[in-house]
Structure formats: C-alpha cells, structure tokens
Coordinates of all heavy atoms in Angstrom, one line a residue:
A543 N 0.8 -1.2 0.0 CA 0.0 0.0 -0.1 C 0.8 1.3 0.0 O 1.6 1.4 0.9 CB -0.9 0.0 1.2
G544 N 0.8 2.0 -1.1 CA 1.6 3.2 -1.2 C 0.8 4.4 -0.5 O -0.3 4.4 -0.4
I545 N 1.6 5.3 0.0 CA 1.0 6.5 0.7 C 0.2 7.3 -0.4 O 0.8 7.6 -1.5 CB 2.0 7.3 1.5 CG1 1.4 8.4 2.2 CG2 3.0 8.0 0.5 CD1 2.2 9.0 3.3
G546 N -0.9 7.7 0.0 CA -1.7 8.6 -1.0 C -2.5 7.8 -2.0 O -3.3 8.4 -2.7
G547 N -2.3 6.5 -2.0 CA -3.1 5.7 -3.0 C -4.5 5.4 -2.5 O -4.9 5.6 -1.4
A548 N -5.3 4.9 -3.4 CA -6.8 4.7 -3.1 C -7.0 3.6 -2.0 O -7.9 3.6 -1.4 CB -7.5 4.5 -4.4
E549 N -6.0 2.7 -2.0 CA -6.2 1.5 -1.2 C -5.7 1.8 0.3 O -5.8 1.0 1.1 CB -5.5 0.4 -1.7 CG -3.9 0.3 -1.6 CD -3.2 1.3 -2.6 OE1 -3.9 1.8 -3.5 OE2 -2.0 1.4 -2.5
V550 N -5.2 3.0 0.5 CA -4.7 3.3 1.9 C -5.9 3.7 2.8 O -6.7 4.6 2.4 CB -3.7 4.5 1.8 CG1 -3.2 4.9 3.2 CG2 -2.5 4.0 1.0
T551 N -5.9 3.1 4.0 CA -6.9 3.6 4.9 C -6.4 4.8 5.7 O -5.2 5.1 5.7 CB -7.2 2.4 5.9 OG1 -6.1 2.3 6.8 CG2 -7.6 1.1 5.3
K552 N -7.3 5.5 6.4 CA -6.9 6.6 7.1 C -6.0 6.2 8.3 O -5.0 7.0 8.6 CB -8.1 7.5 7.6 CG -9.2 6.8 8.4 CD -10.3 7.6 8.5 CE -11.5 6.8 9.2 NZ -12.7 7.5 9.3
E553 N -6.1 5.1 8.8 CA -5.3 4.6 9.9 C -3.9 4.3 9.4 O -2.9 4.7 10.0 CB -5.8 3.3 10.6 CG -7.1 3.5 11.3 CD -8.4 3.6 10.5 OE1 -8.3 3.2 9.3 OE2 -9.4 4.1 11.0
E554 N -3.8 3.8 8.2 CA -2.5 3.5 7.6 C -1.8 4.8 7.3 O -0.6 5.0 7.5 CB -2.6 2.6 6.3 CG -3.0 1.2 6.5 CD -3.3 0.5 5.2 OE1 -3.8 1.2 4.3 OE2 -3.1 -0.7 5.2
F555 N -2.6 5.7 6.7 CA -2.0 7.1 6.4 C -1.5 7.8 7.7 O -0.4 8.3 7.7 CB -3.1 7.9 5.8 CG -2.5 9.3 5.4 CD1 -1.7 9.5 4.4 CD2 -2.8 10.4 6.2 CE1 -1.1 10.8 4.1 CE2 -2.3 11.6 6.0 CZ -1.5 11.8 5.0
F556 N -2.3 7.6 8.7 CA -1.9 8.3 10.0 C -0.5 7.8 10.5 O 0.4 8.5 10.8 CB -3.0 8.0 11.1 CG -2.6 8.6 12.4 CD1 -2.7 10.0 12.6 CD2 -2.2 7.8 13.5 CE1 -2.3 10.5 13.9 CE2 -1.9 8.4 14.7 CZ -2.0 9.7 14.9
G557 N -0.4 6.4 10.4 CA 0.9 5.8 10.8 C 2.1 6.3 9.9 O 3.2 6.6 10.4
V558 N 1.8 6.3 8.6 CA 2.9 6.7 7.7 C 3.2 8.2 7.9 O 4.4 8.6 7.9 CB 2.5 6.4 6.3 CG1 3.5 7.0 5.3 CG2 2.4 4.9 6.0
F559 N 2.2 9.0 8.1 CA 2.3 10.4 8.2 C 3.2 10.7 9.6 O 4.2 11.5 9.5 CB 1.0 11.2 8.4 CG 1.1 12.6 8.4 CD1 1.0 13.4 7.3 CD2 1.2 13.3 9.7 CE1 1.1 14.8 7.4 CE2 1.2 14.7 9.8 CZ 1.2 15.4 8.6
R560 N 2.8 10.1 10.6 CA 3.6 10.2 11.9 C 5.0 9.8 11.7 O 5.9 10.5 12.2 CB 2.9 9.4 13.0 CG 1.7 10.0 13.5 CD 2.0 11.1 14.5 NE 0.8 11.7 14.9 CZ 0.6 13.0 15.1 NH1 1.5 13.9 14.8 NH2 -0.6 13.5 15.5
K561 N 5.2 8.7 11.1 CA 6.6 8.2 10.9 C 7.5 9.2 10.1 O 8.6 9.5 10.4 CB 6.5 6.8 10.2 CG 7.7 6.0 10.2 CD 7.4 4.7 9.4 CE 8.1 3.5 9.8 NZ 7.8 2.4 9.0
E562 N 6.9 9.6 9.0 CA 7.6 10.6 8.2 C 7.8 12.0 8.9 O 8.8 12.6 8.8 CB 6.9 10.8 6.9 CG 7.5 11.8 5.9 CD 8.9 11.3 5.4 OE1 9.4 10.1 5.7 OE2 9.6 12.0 4.7
Q563 N 6.8 12.3 9.7 CA 7.0 13.7 10.5 C 8.1 13.5 11.4 O 8.9 14.4 11.6 CB 5.6 13.8 11.2 CG 5.6 15.1 12.0 CD 4.3 15.3 12.6 OE1 3.7 14.3 13.1 NE2 3.8 16.5 12.7
V564 N 8.2 12.4 12.1 CA 9.3 12.2 13.0 C 10.6 12.2 12.4 O 11.6 12.8 12.7 CB 9.1 10.9 13.9 CG1 10.4 10.5 14.6 CG2 8.0 11.0 14.8
A565 N 10.7 11.5 11.2 CA 11.9 11.4 10.4 C 12.3 12.8 9.9 O 13.5 13.2 9.8 CB 11.7 10.5 9.2
I566 N 11.4 13.6 9.4 CA 11.7 15.0 9.0 C 12.2 15.9 10.1 O 13.2 16.6 9.9 CB 10.3 15.6 8.3 CG1 10.0 15.0 7.0 CG2 10.5 17.2 8.2 CD1 8.7 15.4 6.4
R567 N 11.6 15.8 11.3 CA 12.0 16.5 12.3 C 13.5 16.2 12.8 O 14.2 16.9 13.2 CB 11.0 16.5 13.5 CG 9.8 17.3 13.2 CD 9.1 17.8 14.4 NE 8.2 18.8 14.1 CZ 6.8 18.8 14.2 NH1 6.3 17.6 14.6 NH2 6.1 19.8 13.8
E568 N 13.7 14.8 12.8 CA 15.0 14.4 13.0 C 16.1 14.8 12.1 O 17.1 15.3 12.5 CB 15.0 12.8 13.1 CG 16.0 12.1 13.9 CD 15.8 10.7 13.9 OE1 15.0 10.2 14.8 OE2 16.4 9.9 13.1
A569 N 15.7 14.8 10.8 CA 16.6 15.3 9.8 C 16.9 16.8 10.0 O 18.0 17.2 9.8 CB 16.0 15.0 8.4
L570 N 15.8 17.5 10.3 CA 16.0 18.9 10.5 C 17.0 19.2 11.7 O 17.8 20.1 11.6 CB 14.6 19.5 10.7 CG 14.5 21.1 10.7 CD1 15.0 21.6 9.4 CD2 13.1 21.5 11.0
S571 N 16.8 18.4 12.7 CA 17.6 18.7 13.9 C 19.1 18.4 13.7 O 20.0 18.9 14.4 CB 17.1 18.0 15.1 OG 17.4 16.6 15.0
T572 N 19.4 17.5 12.7 CA 20.8 17.1 12.4 C 21.5 18.0 11.4 O 22.7 17.9 11.3 CB 20.9 15.7 11.9 OG1 20.2 15.5 10.7 CG2 20.3 14.8 12.9
V573 N 20.8 19.0 10.8 CA 21.4 19.9 9.8 C 22.3 20.8 10.6 O 21.9 21.5 11.6 CB 20.3 20.6 9.0 CG1 21.0 21.7 8.1 CG2 19.5 19.7 8.2
E574 N 23.5 20.9 10.2 CA 24.5 21.8 10.8 C 25.0 22.9 9.8 O 24.9 22.7 8.6 CB 25.7 21.0 11.3 CG 25.4 20.0 12.3 CD 25.1 20.6 13.7 OE1 25.5 21.6 14.0 OE2 24.3 19.9 14.3
A575 N 25.4 24.1 10.3 CA 25.9 25.1 9.5 C 27.1 24.6 8.8 O 27.9 23.8 9.3 CB 26.3 26.4 10.4
G576 N 27.2 25.1 7.5 CA 28.3 24.6 6.7 C 28.1 24.9 5.3 O 27.1 25.5 4.9
D577 N 29.0 24.3 4.4 CA 28.9 24.5 3.0 C 27.5 24.0 2.3 O 27.0 24.5 1.4 CB 30.0 23.9 2.3 CG 31.4 24.5 2.6 OD1 31.3 25.7 3.1 OD2 32.4 23.9 2.4
R578 N 27.1 22.9 2.9 CA 25.9 22.2 2.3 C 24.6 22.5 3.1 O 23.7 21.8 2.8 CB 26.2 20.7 2.3 CG 27.3 20.3 1.4 CD 27.6 18.8 1.4 NE 26.4 18.0 1.5 CZ 25.8 17.5 0.4 NH1 26.2 18.0 -0.8 NH2 24.7 16.8 0.4
V579 N 24.6 23.5 3.9 CA 23.4 23.7 4.7 C 22.2 24.0 3.8 O 21.1 23.5 4.1 CB 23.6 24.8 5.7 CG1 23.7 26.2 5.1 CG2 22.5 24.9 6.8
S580 N 22.3 24.8 2.8 CA 21.2 25.1 1.9 C 20.6 23.8 1.2 O 19.5 23.6 1.1 CB 21.5 26.1 0.8 OG 21.6 27.4 1.5
E581 N 21.6 22.9 0.7 CA 21.1 21.7 0.1 C 20.4 20.8 1.0 O 19.4 20.2 0.7 CB 22.4 21.0 -0.5 CG 23.1 21.7 -1.6 CD 24.4 21.1 -2.0 OE1 24.6 19.8 -1.8 OE2 25.3 21.8 -2.4
E582 N 20.9 20.7 2.2 CA 20.3 19.8 3.2 C 18.9 20.3 3.6 O 18.0 19.5 3.8 CB 21.2 19.7 4.4 CG 22.5 18.9 4.2 CD 23.4 18.9 5.4 OE1 23.0 19.0 6.5 OE2 24.7 18.8 5.2
L583 N 18.8 21.6 3.9 CA 17.5 22.1 4.2 C 16.5 22.1 3.0 O 15.3 21.9 3.2 CB 17.7 23.6 4.6 CG 18.3 23.9 6.1 CD1 18.7 25.3 6.3 CD2 17.5 23.2 7.1
D584 N 17.0 22.2 1.8 CA 16.1 22.1 0.6 C 15.7 20.6 0.6 O 14.4 20.3 0.2 CB 16.9 22.3 -0.7 CG 17.2 23.8 -0.8 OD1 16.5 24.7 -0.1 OD2 18.0 24.2 -1.7
A585 N 16.5 19.6 1.0 CA 16.0 18.3 0.9 C 15.0 18.0 2.0 O 14.0 17.3 1.7 CB 17.3 17.3 1.1
V586 N 15.1 18.6 3.2 CA 14.2 18.5 4.2 C 12.8 19.1 3.7 O 11.8 18.6 3.9 CB 14.6 19.1 5.5 CG1 13.5 19.2 6.5 CG2 15.8 18.4 6.1
L587 N 12.9 20.3 3.1 CA 11.7 21.0 2.6 C 11.0 20.2 1.6 O 9.7 20.1 1.5 CB 12.0 22.4 2.1 CG 10.9 23.3 1.8 CD1 10.0 23.5 3.0 CD2 11.4 24.7 1.4
K588 N 11.8 19.5 0.7 CA 11.2 18.6 -0.3 C 10.4 17.4 0.3 O 9.3 17.1 -0.2 CB 12.2 18.1 -1.3 CG 12.7 19.1 -2.3 CD 13.6 18.5 -3.3 CE 13.9 19.4 -4.4 NZ 15.2 19.9 -4.5
R589 N 10.9 16.9 1.4 CA 10.3 15.9 2.2 C 8.9 16.4 2.8 O 7.9 15.7 2.7 CB 11.1 15.3 3.2 CG 12.2 14.4 2.7 CD 13.1 13.9 3.8 NE 12.5 12.9 4.6 CZ 13.1 12.2 5.5 NH1 14.3 12.4 5.9 NH2 12.4 11.2 6.1
V590 N 9.0 17.6 3.3 CA 7.7 18.2 3.9 C 6.7 18.4 2.7 O 5.5 18.1 2.9 CB 8.1 19.6 4.5 CG1 6.7 20.3 4.9 CG2 8.9 19.3 5.7
Q591 N 7.2 18.9 1.6 CA 6.2 19.1 0.4 C 5.7 17.8 -0.1 O 4.5 17.7 -0.4 CB 6.9 19.8 -0.6 CG 7.2 21.3 -0.3 CD 8.2 22.0 -1.2 OE1 8.9 21.4 -2.0 NE2 8.3 23.3 -1.1
A592 N 6.5 16.7 -0.1 CA 6.0 15.4 -0.5 C 5.0 14.9 0.4 O 3.9 14.3 0.0 CB 7.2 14.5 -0.7
L593 N 5.2 15.0 1.7 CA 4.3 14.6 2.7 C 3.0 15.4 2.6 O 1.8 14.8 2.6 CB 4.9 14.8 4.1 CG 4.0 14.3 5.3 CD1 3.8 12.7 5.1 CD2 4.7 14.5 6.6
E594 N 3.0 16.7 2.3 CA 1.9 17.5 2.1 C 1.1 17.1 0.9 O -0.1 17.0 0.9 CB 2.3 19.0 2.0 CG 1.2 19.9 2.3 CD 1.8 21.4 2.5 OE1 3.0 21.6 2.3 OE2 0.9 22.2 2.9
E595 N 1.8 16.7 -0.2 CA 1.2 16.3 -1.4 C 0.5 14.9 -1.2 O -0.7 14.7 -1.7 CB 2.2 16.0 -2.6 CG 2.7 17.4 -3.1 CD 3.8 17.2 -4.1 OE1 4.1 16.1 -4.6 OE2 4.5 18.2 -4.3
S596 N 1.1 14.0 -0.5 CA 0.4 12.7 -0.2 C -0.7 12.9 0.7 O -1.8 12.3 0.5 CB 1.4 11.7 0.5 OG 1.8 12.2 1.8
F597 N -0.7 13.9 1.6 CA -1.9 14.2 2.4 C -3.0 14.8 1.6 O -4.2 14.4 1.7 CB -1.4 15.2 3.5 CG -2.6 16.1 4.0 CD1 -3.6 15.6 4.7 CD2 -2.6 17.5 3.6 CE1 -4.6 16.4 5.2 CE2 -3.6 18.2 4.0 CZ -4.7 17.8 4.8
T598 N -2.7 15.7 0.6 CA -3.7 16.2 -0.3 C -4.4 15.2 -1.1 O -5.6 15.3 -1.3 CB -3.0 17.3 -1.2 OG1 -2.4 18.3 -0.4 CG2 -4.0 17.9 -2.1
R599 N -3.7 14.2 -1.5 CA -4.2 13.1 -2.3 C -5.2 12.3 -1.5 O -6.2 11.7 -2.1 CB -3.1 12.2 -2.9 CG -2.4 12.8 -4.1 CD -1.6 11.8 -4.8 NE -0.6 11.2 -4.0 CZ 0.6 11.6 -3.8 NH1 1.0 12.7 -4.4 NH2 1.5 10.9 -3.1
I600 N -5.0 12.2 -0.2 CA -6.0 11.3 0.6 C -6.9 12.1 1.4 O -7.8 11.5 2.1 CB -5.1 10.4 1.5 CG1 -5.9 9.2 2.1 CG2 -4.4 11.2 2.6 CD1 -5.0 8.1 2.7
A601 N -6.8 13.4 1.4 CA -7.7 14.2 2.3 C -9.1 14.0 2.1 O -9.9 14.2 3.1 CB -7.4 15.8 2.0
H602 N -9.6 13.6 1.0 CA -11.0 13.3 0.7 C -11.6 12.2 1.6 O -12.9 12.1 1.8 CB -11.3 13.0 -0.8 CG -10.7 11.8 -1.3 ND1 -9.3 11.6 -1.6 CD2 -11.2 10.5 -1.5 CE1 -9.1 10.4 -1.9 NE2 -10.2 9.8 -1.9
I603 N -10.8 11.2 2.1 CA -11.3 10.2 2.9 C -11.1 10.5 4.4 O -11.6 9.7 5.2 CB -10.7 8.8 2.6 CG1 -9.2 8.8 3.1 CG2 -10.8 8.5 1.2 CD1 -8.7 7.3 3.2
L604 N -10.5 11.7 4.7 CA -10.3 11.9 6.1 C -11.4 12.9 6.6 O -11.9 13.7 5.9 CB -8.9 12.7 6.3 CG -7.7 11.9 5.8 CD1 -6.5 12.8 5.9 CD2 -7.5 10.7 6.7
P605 N -11.7 12.8 7.9 CA -12.6 13.6 8.6 C -12.1 15.1 8.6 O -10.9 15.3 8.6 CB -12.8 13.2 10.0 CG -12.2 11.7 10.0 CD -11.2 11.7 8.9
A606 N -12.9 16.1 8.5 CA -12.6 17.5 8.4 C -11.6 17.8 9.5 O -10.6 18.6 9.2 CB -13.8 18.3 8.5
Y607 N -11.8 17.3 10.7 CA -10.9 17.7 11.8 C -9.5 17.2 11.5 O -8.5 17.9 11.7 CB -11.4 17.1 13.1 CG -10.5 17.4 14.3 CD1 -10.5 18.6 15.0 CD2 -9.6 16.3 14.7 CE1 -9.6 18.8 16.0 CE2 -8.7 16.6 15.7 CZ -8.7 17.8 16.4 OH -7.9 18.0 17.4
D608 N -9.4 16.0 11.1 CA -8.1 15.4 10.7 C -7.4 16.2 9.6 O -6.2 16.4 9.6 CB -8.2 14.0 10.3 CG -8.5 13.0 11.4 OD1 -8.4 13.5 12.6 OD2 -8.8 11.8 11.3
V609 N -8.2 16.6 8.6 CA -7.6 17.5 7.5 C -7.1 18.7 8.0 O -5.9 19.1 7.7 CB -8.8 17.8 6.5 CG1 -8.2 18.8 5.4 CG2 -9.2 16.5 5.7
Q610 N -7.7 19.4 9.0 CA -7.2 20.6 9.6 C -5.9 20.3 10.3 O -4.9 21.1 10.2 CB -8.2 21.2 10.5 CG -9.4 21.9 9.9 CD -10.3 22.5 10.9 OE1 -10.6 21.9 11.9 NE2 -10.9 23.6 10.5
Q611 N -5.9 19.2 11.1 CA -4.7 18.9 11.9 C -3.6 18.6 11.0 O -2.4 19.1 11.2 CB -5.0 17.7 12.8 CG -6.1 17.9 13.9 CD -5.6 19.1 14.8 OE1 -4.5 19.0 15.3 NE2 -6.5 20.0 14.9
Y612 N -3.7 17.7 10.0 CA -2.6 17.4 9.1 C -2.0 18.6 8.4 O -0.8 18.9 8.3 CB -3.0 16.3 8.1 CG -3.1 15.0 8.6 CD1 -4.4 14.3 8.5 CD2 -2.2 14.3 9.3 CE1 -4.6 12.9 8.9 CE2 -2.3 13.0 9.8 CZ -3.5 12.4 9.6 OH -3.6 11.1 10.2
R613 N -3.0 19.5 7.9 CA -2.6 20.7 7.2 C -1.7 21.6 8.1 O -0.7 22.1 7.7 CB -3.8 21.4 6.7 CG -3.5 22.5 5.7 CD -4.6 23.1 5.0 NE -5.0 22.1 3.9 CZ -6.2 21.7 3.7 NH1 -7.3 22.1 4.4 NH2 -6.5 20.9 2.7
A614 N -2.2 21.8 9.4 CA -1.5 22.6 10.4 C -0.1 22.0 10.6 O 0.8 22.7 10.7 CB -2.4 22.7 11.6
Q615 N 0.0 20.6 10.7 CA 1.3 20.0 11.0 C 2.3 20.2 9.8 O 3.4 20.4 10.0 CB 1.1 18.6 11.4 CG 0.4 18.4 12.7 CD 0.0 17.0 13.0 OE1 0.7 16.0 12.5 NE2 -1.0 16.7 13.8
C616 N 1.7 20.1 8.6 CA 2.6 20.3 7.5 C 3.1 21.8 7.4 O 4.3 22.0 7.2 CB 1.8 20.0 6.2 SG 1.6 18.2 5.9
K617 N 2.2 22.8 7.7 CA 2.6 24.1 7.7 C 3.7 24.4 8.8 O 4.6 25.1 8.6 CB 1.5 25.0 7.9 CG 0.6 25.3 6.7 CD -0.6 26.1 6.9 CE -1.4 26.2 5.7 NZ -2.5 27.2 5.8
E618 N 3.5 23.7 10.0 CA 4.4 23.9 11.1 C 5.8 23.4 10.7 O 6.8 24.0 11.0 CB 3.8 23.1 12.3 CG 4.6 23.3 13.6 CD 3.9 22.5 14.8 OE1 2.7 22.7 14.9 OE2 4.6 21.7 15.4
M619 N 5.8 22.2 10.0 CA 7.1 21.7 9.7 C 7.8 22.6 8.7 O 9.1 22.7 8.7 CB 6.9 20.2 9.1 CG 6.7 19.2 10.2 SD 6.7 17.5 9.5 CE 5.1 17.5 8.7
A620 N 7.1 23.1 7.7 CA 7.6 24.1 6.8 C 8.1 25.3 7.5 O 9.3 25.8 7.2 CB 6.6 24.4 5.7
A621 N 7.5 25.8 8.5 CA 7.8 26.9 9.2 C 9.2 26.6 10.0 O 10.1 27.4 10.1 CB 6.7 27.4 10.1
E622 N 9.2 25.4 10.6 CA 10.3 25.0 11.4 C 11.6 24.9 10.4 O 12.7 25.3 10.9 CB 10.2 23.6 12.0 CG 9.2 23.6 13.2 CD 8.8 22.2 13.6 OE1 9.4 21.2 13.2 OE2 7.9 22.2 14.4
T623 N 11.4 24.4 9.2 CA 12.5 24.4 8.3 C 13.0 25.8 7.9 O 14.2 26.1 7.9 CB 12.0 23.6 6.9 OG1 11.5 22.4 7.4 CG2 13.2 23.4 6.0
A624 N 12.0 26.7 7.7 CA 12.4 28.1 7.3 C 13.2 28.8 8.5 O 14.1 29.5 8.3 CB 11.2 28.9 7.0
A625 N 12.7 28.5 9.8 CA 13.3 29.1 11.0 C 14.8 28.5 11.1 O 15.7 29.2 11.4 CB 12.5 28.7 12.3
R626 N 14.9 27.2 10.8 CA 16.3 26.5 10.9 C 17.2 27.1 9.8 O 18.3 27.4 10.1 CB 16.1 25.1 10.7 CG 17.4 24.3 10.9 CD 17.6 24.1 12.4 NE 18.7 23.1 12.6 CZ 19.6 23.2 13.5 NH1 19.5 24.1 14.4 NH2 20.5 22.3 13.5
R627 N 16.6 27.4 8.6 CA 17.4 28.1 7.6 C 17.9 29.4 8.0 O 19.0 29.8 7.9 CB 16.6 28.2 6.3 CG 17.4 28.7 5.1 CD 16.5 28.9 3.9 NE 15.9 27.6 3.5 CZ 16.4 26.7 2.7 NH1 17.6 26.8 2.2 NH2 15.7 25.6 2.4
E628 N 16.9 30.2 8.6 CA 17.3 31.6 9.1 C 18.4 31.5 10.2 O 19.2 32.3 10.2 CB 16.0 32.2 9.6 CG 16.2 33.7 9.8 CD 16.5 34.4 8.5 OE1 16.0 34.1 7.4 OE2 17.3 35.5 8.5
Q629 N 18.3 30.4 11.0 CA 19.3 30.3 12.1 C 20.7 29.9 11.6 O 21.6 30.4 12.1 CB 18.7 29.2 13.1 CG 19.6 28.9 14.2 CD 19.2 27.7 15.0 OE1 18.3 26.9 14.6 NE2 19.8 27.4 16.2
L630 N 20.7 29.0 10.6 CA 22.0 28.4 10.2 C 22.6 29.2 9.0 O 23.8 29.2 8.9 CB 21.8 27.0 9.8 CG 21.4 26.0 10.9 CD1 21.2 24.6 10.3 CD2 22.6 25.9 12.0
A631 N 21.7 29.8 8.2 CA 22.2 30.5 7.0 C 21.4 31.8 6.8 O 20.6 31.9 5.9 CB 22.1 29.6 5.8
P632 N 21.6 32.8 7.8 CA 20.8 34.0 7.7 C 21.0 34.8 6.4 O 22.2 34.7 6.0 CB 21.1 34.7 8.9 CG 22.4 34.2 9.4 CD 22.5 32.8 8.9
R633 N 20.0 35.4 5.9 CA 20.3 36.2 4.7 C 21.1 37.4 5.1 O 21.0 38.0 6.2 CB 18.9 36.8 4.2 CG 18.1 35.6 3.6 CD 16.9 36.3 2.9 NE 15.8 35.3 3.0 CZ 14.6 35.6 3.3 NH1 14.2 36.8 3.6 NH2 13.7 34.6 3.4
K634 N 21.9 37.8 4.2 CA 22.7 39.0 4.5 C 21.9 40.3 4.5 O 21.0 40.4 3.8 CB 23.8 39.2 3.4 CG 24.7 37.9 3.4 CD 26.0 38.2 2.7 CE 27.0 37.1 2.7 NZ 26.7 35.8 3.1
K635 N 22.1 41.1 5.5 CA 21.3 42.3 5.6 C 21.7 43.3 4.5 O 22.9 43.4 4.2 CB 21.6 43.0 7.0 CG 21.3 42.2 8.1 CD 20.1 42.5 8.8 CE 20.0 41.8 10.1 NZ 18.9 40.9 10.2
F636 N 20.7 43.9 3.9 CA 21.0 44.9 2.8 C 21.3 46.2 3.5 O 20.7 46.7 4.4 CB 19.8 45.1 2.0 CG 19.9 46.1 0.9 CD1 20.6 45.8 -0.2 CD2 19.4 47.3 1.1 CE1 20.8 46.7 -1.2 CE2 19.5 48.4 0.1 CZ 20.2 48.0 -1.0
A637 N 22.4 46.8 2.9 CA 22.8 48.2 3.4 C 23.3 49.0 2.1 O 24.0 48.3 1.3 CB 23.8 48.1 4.5
F638 N 23.0 50.2 2.1 CA 23.6 51.1 1.1 C 25.1 51.3 1.4 O 25.4 51.5 2.6 CB 22.9 52.4 1.1 CG 21.5 52.3 0.4 CD1 20.4 52.3 1.3 CD2 21.3 52.2 -1.0 CE1 19.2 52.3 0.7 CE2 20.1 52.1 -1.5 CZ 19.0 52.2 -0.6
K639 N 25.9 51.3 0.4 CA 27.3 51.6 0.6 C 27.5 53.1 0.4 O 27.0 53.7 -0.5 CB 28.1 50.8 -0.4 CG 28.1 49.3 -0.1 CD 29.0 48.6 -1.1 CE 28.9 47.0 -0.8 NZ 29.7 46.2 -1.7
K640 N 28.5 53.6 1.2 CA 28.7 55.1 1.0 C 29.6 55.2 -0.2 O 30.4 54.4 -0.5 CB 29.5 55.5 2.2 CG 28.7 55.5 3.5 CD 29.5 56.2 4.6 CE 28.7 56.3 5.9 NZ 29.4 56.9 7.0
K641 N 29.3 56.2 -1.0 CA 30.0 56.4 -2.1 C 31.3 57.0 -1.8 O 31.5 57.8 -0.9 CB 29.3 57.5 -3.0 CG 28.1 57.0 -3.8 CD 27.6 58.0 -4.7 CE 26.6 57.4 -5.7 NZ 26.1 58.4 -6.7
A642 N 32.4 56.6 -2.5 CA 33.7 57.2 -2.3 C 33.7 58.5 -3.0 O 33.3 58.8 -4.1 CB 34.7 56.3 -3.0
Q643 N 34.2 59.5 -2.3 CA 34.2 60.9 -2.8 C 35.5 61.3 -3.4 O 36.6 61.0 -3.0 CB 33.7 61.9 -1.7 CG 32.3 61.6 -1.4 CD 31.9 62.5 -0.3 OE1 32.6 63.2 0.4 NE2 30.6 62.7 -0.1

C-alpha cells in the first residue's frame, strides 16, 4: 500500500504520516551550519512538500478535523524548516554603501 493511494486507509495514512513527520524533524535537527546547509535544508523541505502532497491526495477520505490537523502540522514543519534556515544561514542584511568621494 503506497501512501496517498486509493487503497490506503486513514489509519495506515496516519501511521505513515507520523513516521515521516518524526523522520523529517530528526533530519532537520541534524542539519548543521556549513557549505551544504542550503542543500540539506532544501532536501528536508522537499520531504515536507512530498508529505503535504500525499496528504492532499488522501484528504477526501479523512474527517474534516483530521484534514485541519494534518494541514497545520505540514505548515508547522515548513515553518520549522524556514526558521532553521534563518538560524543556520541567515540572509545578508541589505545596506547602502557609502560612495567614495
């Protein structure tokens, strides 16, 4: 039974969702500052997006409350990834340079 497929029950989906959610959070916590930080965070974000897509494909069989909960959890994981990116690889602050006279 593949995630998001028609044969997946809501209970199976819940188990797969939780397992992937834990794996994503674990991967996010192991990302360290360095040369590959953007690539690693992009990979985590892709996993979040894939999980969100699989949730969207199965949302029609889930109760409305569960749909809200899964959607909120996906948004939360995306926000955690963005916060981690800001922590490890903050954007450079923009500043005007003084003209040489």
Side-chain angles (χ1 to χ4, degrees):
I545 188 165
E549 73 282 356
V550 175
T551 67
K552 53 188 173 186
E553 291 78 16
E554 289 171 330
F555 177 77
F556 179 74
V558 172
F559 185 92
R560 284 280 180 223
K561 195 183 211 180
E562 182 62 6
Q563 184 181 33
V564 167
I566 287 170
R567 288 208 162 112
E568 200 172 281
L570 189 58
S571 70
T572 63
V573 175
E574 298 292 330
D577 296 340
R578 296 178 38 85
V579 70
S580 287
E581 293 170 30
E582 291 177 26
L583 288 170
D584 287 347
V586 170
L587 191 57
K588 280 189 175 107
R589 287 178 74 176
V590 172
Q591 291 167 342
L593 186 59
E594 202 165 4
E595 287 171 19
S596 66
F597 153 71
T598 302
R599 285 194 301 271
I600 198 169
H602 66 281
I603 71 164
L604 300 173
Y607 177 79
D608 288 348
V609 170
Q610 286 180 323
Q611 293 301 308
Y612 287 126
R613 190 167 285 134
Q615 290 172 28
C616 286
K617 284 182 181 179
E618 186 179 308
M619 285 186 288
E622 288 170 10
T623 305
R626 188 82 169 140
R627 183 181 305 272
E628 197 59 37
Q629 177 187 14
L630 295 176
R633 291 187 212 138
K634 298 195 177 9
K635 303 254 188 245
F636 176 78
F638 288 102
K639 293 183 180 178
K640 291 185 179 184
K641 282 188 172 181
Q643 293 178 346

